[in-house]
Structure formats: C-alpha cells, structure tokens
Amino acid sequence: MRIHVVDHPLVAHKLTTLRDKRTDSPTFRRLADELVTLLAYEATRDVRTEQVDIETPVTATTGVRLSHPRPMVVPILRAGLGMLDGMVRLLPTAEVGFLGMIRDEETLQASTYATRMPDDLSGRQVYVLDPMLATGGTLVAAIRELIARGADDVTALCLLAAPEGVEVMERELAGAPVTVVTASIDERLNEHGYIVPGLGDAGDRMYGTAG
C-alpha cells in the first residue's frame, strides 16, 4: 500500500481553517471541497489515459483522454458526500457509486447498510472518498468490497489520517492495489477513536448533528 501526504502551502492553509472549531458549517463545506480538489490533483496523477487524434484551429495533433472503462468515484456516506463535488470537478466524466457504512462507537467496527455500485468493477480505477482515516475499519471494509467486485486500482482520498489507521490498512490490505492520499498524518487517536489534533467529526462539521 502506498501513502502520499500532499505537502503544499495551500493544502496546509485550508486544513488549518478546517481544524479551527470556530469555522462554521458552510465555510467548512466550502474549504473541504477546495481541499479535495487539491488532493484529487495528486490522486489522479496516474489516471489511465489513451491517445487520441484531434484537430486544433491550427493543425492536427495528438493528445490524450481518459480511458474506458471510466474511473469510478465512491463517497462513503455520509461525510464522503461533502468530498464528491471537489473530486468530480477534476473527473467530470467519472461514474459515481455510493457506499453507506456506519461505525459502531463501542466496538469501532464498520458495517455496510447501503450500496449503489456495479457488481463488476474489473479494470476500473476507483477513488474512495472518506474524510477521516481514523481506526481504519471503515476504509478497510469499503476497499475489500471494491476489490471483491474486481477493482484492481483503488485510491482513497482522506482529509486526515491517524498513524493507527494507516497501520491497520497496511496490515489488513497487504499486497492490495491501494493508495492513500491525505493532507496530513496526525499524532494519534484518542480513547474515543477520534484523530488528534484532528478536526472533530467531519460529518457533523459539514452537516450538523441531525440523525
């Protein structure tokens, strides 16, 4: 498994405002959207392309376009929805699937409650959106589901990661075709499974505490 921490001043600047507890939900959503676009730029560096011949206003030339089958973007509900627009801004022709997962706050284990994806993901590059790589349980379960459907190239985009979550993913997904792209690997998890210093519960920060 590969880990890529995006080291860029704009990433650090936006992440600092996201961490600030005084940042309200509309601002949080906007900044998360902008940050995801920056992460997506790095995450799609190896997106598959094919050669195409075109005519410019001046002459004939050769360029590239995204290969088929088209990439698939899969936000993990609900917080991953707040990352979707920032991702498809760079990949407007990608298809979008959905994966609903919930974490038991006592056992910290993730379970699936909804899926909306093709049964066969063979040959697809898949981009999974989940703001927080904390314990790692949710992402491991999600990526196993994608690989079981035939995905052979999975990239997870996370705003933040904890060392414990990274370790779990490296152990549980050893040998799997997985890359994690994140803005920061923070210090640790606390006793409640939250990333420290972190930014709190990303879903609540984006959408409030309803539900």
Side-chain angles (χ1 to χ4, degrees), residues 43-50 66-67 71 91 125 127 153:
T44 55
R45 187 172 294 276
D46 296 323
V47 69
R48 295 170 187 160
T49 59
E50 60 189 18
L66 295 184
S67 301
L91 282 176
Q125 287 180 291
Y127 297 89
D153 188 334

Side-chain angles (χ1 to χ4, degrees), residues 47-53 62-69:
V47 69
R48 295 170 187 160
T49 59
E50 60 189 18
Q51 185 173 299
V52 59
D53 295 325
T62 301
V64 298
R65 64 185 176 194
L66 295 184
S67 301
H68 286 272

Side-chain angles (χ1 to χ4, degrees), residues 7-165:
D7 181 16
H8 191 285
L10 287 179
V11 170
H13 166 72
K14 295 178 189 300
L15 181 56
T16 298
T17 307
L18 287 175
R19 292 187 191 277
D20 192 332
K21 68 179 183 181
R22 297 171 297 179
T23 300
D24 59 24
S25 288
T27 304
F28 190 98
R29 287 195 297 270
R30 176 176 59 81
L31 287 173
D33 177 79
E34 294 172 0
L35 180 54
V36 170
T37 298
L38 294 174
L39 297 180
Y41 179 80
E42 293 295 330
T44 55
R45 187 172 294 276
D46 296 323
V47 69
R48 295 170 187 160
T49 59
E50 60 189 18
Q51 185 173 299
V52 59
D53 295 325
I54 62 168
E55 294 275 349
T56 78
V58 179
T59 187
T61 189
T62 301
V64 298
R65 64 185 176 194
L66 295 184
S67 301
H68 286 272
R70 290 180 291 174
M72 172 154 285
V73 177
V74 181
I76 297 180
L77 306 177
R78 77 179 159 146
L81 280 177
M83 303 173 68
L84 181 58
D85 286 349
M87 186 68 193
V88 298
R89 184 173 296 117
L90 287 191
L91 282 176
T93 61
E95 294 186 349
V96 179
F98 296 94
L99 188 55
M101 307 196 77
I102 190 168
R103 187 179 74 164
D104 187 300
E105 294 304 324
E106 293 185 3
T107 67
L108 303 182
Q109 296 299 307
S111 58
T112 302
Y113 66 85
T115 57
R116 182 71 175 180
M117 295 183 296
D119 291 333
D120 185 4
L121 295 174
S122 300
R124 294 245 192 179
Q125 287 180 291
V126 183
Y127 297 89
V128 186
L129 310 180
D130 193 14
M132 314 296 282
L133 171 49
T135 64
T138 298
L139 265 180
V140 166
I143 291 171
R144 282 177 172 166
E145 174 72 21
L146 296 170
I147 291 174
R149 293 174 184 240
D152 64 359
D153 188 334
V154 180
T155 300
L157 279 74
C158 306
L159 302 182
L160 292 180
E164 295 91 336

Side-chain angles (χ1 to χ4, degrees), residues 188-209:
R188 59 183 174 85
L189 293 179
N190 66 15
E191 64 275 14
H192 302 294
Y194 282 89
I195 299 174
V196 178
L199 48 76
D201 185 296
D204 289 349
R205 296 287 306 275
M206 288 181 185
Y207 304 118
T209 57

